[in-house]
Amino acid sequence: MYDFLIAPFVEFGFMQRALMGSLMLSIGACPVGVFLMLRRMSLTGDAMAHAILPGAAAGFLLYGLQIVPMTIGGLIAGAIVALGAGAVSRFTVQKEDASMAAFYLISLAAGVLIVSLRGSSVDLMHVLFGTVLALNNDALTLIAMITGTTLLTLAIFWRALVAECLDPLFLRSVSRLGTPVHFIFLGLVVLNLVGGFQALGTLLSVGLMMLPAAAARFWTTRVEPMCALAILIGFASCVAGLLLSYHAALPSGPAIILSAGVIYICSIVFGTRGVFNTRTRHHRHRTA
C-alpha cells in the first residue's frame, strides 16, 4: 500500500511539485467552478479556456515555453475576450452565450495558428494539454499567487456573488455592485484558467474547475458546503490522477480530469440528490 499510494510522492520531486500545484489549483478553481455552475455559465468556463490560447501562444512565439510571457499573454487575451463578450451582451441585442462562442472560436483558431508558426506538434500539445509533471518552482509560485488572489477576492465579494447567483436583477436594483461583480468574477475565471493551463493546458484546465463543482451539486444545496466539497473532490481527483499516471504510464492531465469524471458519475448515481436516492425517496413517498 505504501509503495502504491505514498512512495511516488516521497521519492520523486516532480511528483511532489505536481501534487502541490494541482492541489493549489483545486483550492482556487473549484469554488469558482461552483459559482459558474450556479450562474448557469458552465460552458462560459470552457469558452474562456479557449480564449486564453492566443495570448499564451503569442508569448510562446516570442519567448518559447517560458511561464511569465505565456501567463501575461493569456491574461491579456482572456481579459479582452471576457470584456468584449460582456460588452457585446450588455450593449447589443446578442446574448452572452452567443458573443462568448464567437469570441472563443476566433481565439482558438488564432491561437493554434500562432503556435503553428514557430512550434512543432509537440509544442502545440504542450500548450493545449499542459504538463503537470513538469511544473517548476516558478509555476508553483504563480499558481500560489493566483490561488491567494482568488480566495481573497471571494472572501471580499462573497455575499454579492451569492446574491447574483440567486437573483442578479435584485442585486442590481439594490446595489451598484451588480455589473462590477460580474466582471470581477469573469476576471477570476480567466485568472484560474491561466494558472491551470500551466499544468493542464488550455483545453483541460476547465475540467478541474467544473467537474468537482458539478459533482458536489449532487451532495448538497448550500453554497459554502458545496465549495468545500468541490475542493475535496478536486484533491481526490488530483491524487488519483497522478497515481494513475505514475503507475499506468498515462498522460497526467487527462488522468486527473478522468478521475474527476469518475467521481462525477458516481455522484450522479449515489449522491444524496442523485438518481439512486431520488428514486428511493419517490418510492417511499408512493408507498407511504
Side-chain angles (χ1 to χ4, degrees):
M1 187 64 69
Y2 173 85
D3 291 338
F4 185 83
L5 295 178
I6 300 175
F9 299 114
V10 173
E11 297 176 3
F12 300 102
F14 69 90
M15 289 291 288
Q16 296 171 8
R17 289 189 293 272
L19 180 63
M20 187 180 302
S22 57
L23 293 183
M24 286 192 295
L25 284 174
S26 298
I27 294 173
C30 291
V32 173
V34 168
F35 282 105
L36 271 175
M37 179 185 60
L38 294 177
R39 292 158 65 106
R40 299 182 180 179
M41 295 173 60
S42 299
L43 291 178
T44 299
D46 186 52
M48 294 306 303
H50 294 78
I52 67 176
L53 180 56
F60 167 77
L61 183 65
L62 295 174
Y63 298 98
L65 292 172
Q66 296 187 28
I67 289 177
V68 174
M70 293 179 69
T71 299
I72 294 174
L75 284 173
I76 293 174
I80 290 173
V81 170
L83 292 174
V88 169
S89 66
R90 298 273 173 162
F91 302 116
T92 71
V93 297
Q94 193 169 66
K95 299 296 183 181
E96 189 168 35
D97 60 339
S99 60
M100 188 68 74
F103 274 91
Y104 104 75
L105 287 170
I106 295 170
S107 299
L108 179 61
V112 173
L113 183 63
I114 292 172
V115 174
S116 300
L117 290 177
R118 173 178 172 178
S120 63
S121 59
V122 175
D123 295 321
L124 181 60
M125 292 291 287
H126 173 87
V127 174
L128 292 178
F129 297 105
T131 50
V132 66
L133 295 180
L135 290 177
N136 55 27
N137 292 333
D138 291 337
L140 292 179
T141 301
L142 172 68
I143 293 171
M145 292 173 60
I146 289 173
T147 299
T149 302
T150 300
L151 294 179
L152 179 62
T153 305
L154 288 176
I156 294 173
F157 295 101
W158 181 267
R159 294 183 64 183
L161 286 169
V162 173
E164 194 179 31
C165 289
L166 299 175
D167 194 342
L169 294 179
F170 173 76
L171 178 63
R172 292 171 196 167
S173 67
V174 301
S175 173
R176 296 180 179 179
L177 286 176
T179 298
V181 163
H182 178 74
F183 284 105
I184 288 171
F185 177 70
L186 288 180
L188 286 182
V189 174
V190 172
L191 199 61
N192 281 274
L193 289 173
V194 168
F197 99 83
Q198 303 289 344
L200 301 171
T202 58
L203 296 186
L204 292 179
S205 58
V206 71
L208 190 58
M209 182 178 290
M210 293 311 308
L211 283 172
R217 188 73 173 87
F218 289 102
W219 295 95
T220 181
T221 57
R222 296 180 56 195
V223 179
E224 293 88 348
M226 198 180 302
C227 289
L229 182 57
I231 292 173
L232 292 177
I233 293 173
F235 283 2
S237 303
C238 293
V239 173
L242 289 173
L243 289 173
L244 184 63
S245 170
Y246 176 81
H247 292 293
L250 297 175
S252 52
I256 290 174
I257 303 306
L258 283 176
S259 298
V262 170
I263 297 175
Y264 171 70
I265 293 172
C266 292
S267 299
I268 292 175
V269 179
F270 301 109
T272 55
R273 304 179 72 245
V275 175
F276 179 77
N277 284 296
T278 300
R279 292 186 64 181
T280 301
R281 285 194 296 268
H282 286 170
H283 177 72
R284 290 176 179 173
H285 178 73
R286 288 178 180 178
T287 56

